[in-house]
Every structure is written in structure tokens, then in C-alpha cells.
Amino acid sequence: MAPVGGTAVQDHVALAEIELCGELIIAASAARERLSLESIDEVLRVAEERGSPEG
């Protein structure tokens, strides 16, 4: 049961991870066969991270 005082804690990193997992599940369920590593990287936006100036 949640506290009455409205002290909900939001973990933004955890929420982002949950969103990415959801996107991966959707992609996997829509695929006709097993996702390739490249497809997984695309869904998880790994290429965008690698292409950044800091990466």
C-alpha cells in the first residue's frame, strides 16, 4: 500500500529501462523470427549512442 502523504519516488533511470524493455518486447513479438543483434541494437538505439561525440 502506498503512503498516504503522496511520497512516491520516481527513478528516471529505471523508468527509461522499463520503456526500452517494452519496446524490445513489442519488436520481438512482431518479428517473424528471432531478432538479430543488429535489430536489437536498433530497437535499443545503441547506434545512436555509438555515433555520439562522447561515445
Side-chain angles (χ1 to χ4, degrees), residues 15-35:
L15 291 174
E17 289 178 359
I18 291 167
E19 183 179 344
L20 288 174
C21 286
E23 291 177 16
L24 190 56
I25 291 168
I26 291 168
S29 65
R32 294 183 185 258
E33 49 189 58
R34 192 175 194 164
L35 292 177

Side-chain angles (χ1 to χ4, degrees), residues 4-49:
V4 178
T7 58
V9 176
Q10 290 190 6
D11 184 340
H12 298 286
V13 173
L15 291 174
E17 289 178 359
I18 291 167
E19 183 179 344
L20 288 174
C21 286
E23 291 177 16
L24 190 56
I25 291 168
I26 291 168
S29 65
R32 294 183 185 258
E33 49 189 58
R34 192 175 194 164
L35 292 177
S36 67
L37 293 177
E38 292 80 18
S39 296
I40 293 171
D41 285 350
E42 184 178 327
V43 171
L44 298 178
R45 301 181 200 110
V46 172
E48 291 176 17
E49 292 294 323

